[in-house]
Amino acid sequence: MNTVTNKISIGHGSGGKLTHNLIKNLFLEKFRNPILESLTDSAILNINGTRLAFTTDSHVIKPIFFPGGNIGKLAVNGTVNDLAVMGAKPLYISCSYVIEEGFDYQSLERITQSISQSAQDAEVCVVTGDTKVVEKGKGDKIFINTSGIGLCNYSLPKDIEIGDKVLINGSIGDHEIAILSAREELGLNLKIESDCAPLADLISQVLKSSEKIKFMRDPTRGGLATTLNEIVEEKDFGILLEERDILIREEVKGICSLLGFDPLYLANEGKVVIVVAREDADQVIETMHSHLLGRDARIIGEVVDSPKGMVCLKTQVGGRRIVDMLVGTQVPRIC
Ligand code: MG
């Protein structure tokens, strides 16, 4: 909260430091229980000996149609990916619409068709939902909430050790830059598409290729930098990134330098960060390379002894800088 105004700011929804503080200081305090306390992408529930992953996500993206997808595709993949990174097989999702009065039926149909197709692609069924309509001017076209459950056959996360490798399945920042370019007011004319994709199949191949996967997370809001900070937070190890090994498309680099953004903080919707034991890293990369969504997979860093609890970047020119969690927000309503 902004202590001066006592109001929620856009930054509280950024997925960065302000969101973290809100969760820790308010939500975790009021809801505290051992399942929530793990603050993982999905809650892991033990029900009569069955391990289930359970997650929920609201989507408020603007614009609702963008290069590489729309709010419907995003709503399915966002939830499916939060289940998959826990090692779960996504099974069922819900779909709740909050629609603004006057929203055009054809767009709703297009979005719903996309939800149906994305669910099919991700091998999940939409089994329940809800529809609410708010008065004109009281919403912004459409918001969608999806929850999901999956069957968890793997126990993640595992203990991370010094020397473990940090992997990602491709370039960073594509989603956020695609959204930005779709905002007409900016007048950007880029040929970049969102990476929005379901990761469950890639992740299941990865889990089959190694028993030494320690941790996975999709670097969405807050980007790679925030996700890595979440991994090292209050831990007795750090992460050292190699700048030269991080893939950033030229268009993304260009926009970042134009607008003063750091690509490490840009949102992704089809990427997974994986921490794996050093000895298995190459075989996991090889497995990822054989999958459509992992063709550009690479090792981008490793778990180091110091500085503890911090993410550092070894720059191309050989310097080192600390990479903090996202503070504030770069672009609001990107997912
Ligand atoms: Mg996530």
Side-chain angles (χ1 to χ4, degrees):
M1 203 164 25
N2 182 328
T3 45
V4 182
T5 59
N6 271 343
K7 305 274 189 211
I8 291 295
S9 68
I10 278 285
H12 285 104
S14 69
K17 218 164 208 169
L18 285 174
T19 312
H20 267 73
N21 292 343
L22 186 64
I23 291 170
K24 282 202 167 151
N25 301 333
L26 180 61
F27 303 142
L28 199 51
E29 279 308 308
K30 298 291 182 193
F31 302 147
R32 189 172 292 283
N33 64 69
I35 298 173
L36 182 64
E37 265 169 3
S38 70
L39 293 181
T40 41
D41 292 74
S42 298
I44 300 301
L45 314 173
N46 263 301
I47 301 175
N48 292 336
T50 303
R51 285 180 93 240
L52 291 178
F54 174 46
T55 192
T56 190
D57 218 327
S58 294
H59 301 272
V60 298
I61 193 161
K62 184 175 85 171
I64 52 178
F65 297 100
F66 51 84
N70 62 56
I71 191 170
K73 180 181 181 185
L74 183 73
V76 174
N77 290 338
T79 289
V80 162
N81 292 346
D82 277 343
L83 295 170
V85 294
M86 298 303 292
K89 160 119 187 73
L91 294 174
Y92 302 107
I93 63 169
S94 68
C95 184
S96 292
Y97 298 89
V98 178
I99 309 168
E100 185 188 8
E101 180 187 12
F103 187 60
D104 127 77
Y105 183 86
Q106 267 184 339
S107 298
L108 182 61
E109 200 171 31
R110 218 174 125 197
I111 289 164
T112 305
Q113 174 56 35
S114 187
I115 290 174
S116 165
Q117 184 62 51
S118 303
Q120 212 174 310
D121 294 346
E123 298 178 357
V124 296
C125 291
V126 180
V127 291
T128 187
D130 182 44
T131 312
K132 296 281 176 2
V133 178
V134 297
E135 306 96 308
K136 194 158 188 58
K138 303 293 181 185
D140 190 1
K141 296 185 175 76
I142 187 168
F143 301 143
I144 300 177
N145 173 277
T146 44
S147 297
I149 61 170
L151 200 53
C152 222
N153 291 320
Y154 291 87
S155 183
L156 285 170
K158 291 192 174 97
D159 284 342
I160 293 173
E161 290 161 282
I162 310 299
D164 286 350
K165 294 292 183 184
V166 180
L167 281 47
I168 191 166
N169 60 318
S171 59
I172 59 167
D174 301 2
H175 175 74
E176 189 159 338
I177 295 303
I179 299 312
L180 211 57
S181 72
R183 291 192 182 161
E184 283 160 11
E185 69 266 31
L186 288 170
L188 299 170
N189 195 8
L190 300 172
K191 286 196 176 51
I192 195 127
E193 290 200 343
S194 166
D195 58 347
C196 183
L199 294 167
D201 189 57
L202 172 71
I203 287 173
S204 81
Q205 301 297 324
V206 163
L207 286 167
K208 276 182 211 151
S209 75
S210 167
E211 286 177 357
K212 293 175 181 169
I213 303 294
K214 310 284 187 77
F215 183 95
M216 292 186 285
R217 178 159 288 176
D218 50 340
T220 54
R221 283 174 310 167
L224 179 64
T226 301
T227 293
L228 296 177
N229 270 282
E230 288 162 349
I231 298 175
V232 301
E233 196 177 22
E234 289 166 27
K235 297 291 195 313
D236 59 355
F237 55 78
I239 286 176
L240 180 64
L241 283 175
E242 284 281 350
E243 188 174 40
R244 62 156 192 257
D245 294 331
I246 301 172
L247 181 62
I248 306 167
R249 294 188 198 285
E250 285 308 318
E251 297 94 323
V252 173
K253 270 188 201 164
I255 292 298
C256 280
S257 56
L258 191 72
L259 300 177
F261 290 158
D262 183 338
L264 292 173
Y265 295 92
L266 295 178
N268 311 278
E269 290 293 342
K271 293 296 168 328
V272 55
V273 171
I274 298 171
V275 180
V276 59
R278 173 194 294 262
E279 61 272 25
D280 280 11
D282 287 337
Q283 74 199 48
V284 171
I285 287 287
E286 211 174 294
T287 300
M288 291 166 90
H289 283 168
S290 65
H291 195 283
L292 196 65
L293 295 175
R295 277 176 310 187
D296 292 326
R298 48 192 61 207
I299 298 171
I300 54 168
E302 72 171 19
V303 177
V304 292
D305 184 41
S306 76
K308 300 185 194 309
M310 276 187 200
V311 178
C312 288
L313 179 79
K314 198 160 131 200
T315 64
Q316 309 233 26
V317 292
R320 283 187 192 208
R321 71 172 168 96
I322 293 172
V323 178
D324 199 359
M325 205 173 260
L326 174 66
V327 181
T329 186
Q330 293 195 131
V331 182
R333 294 183 55 189
I334 47 169
C335 59

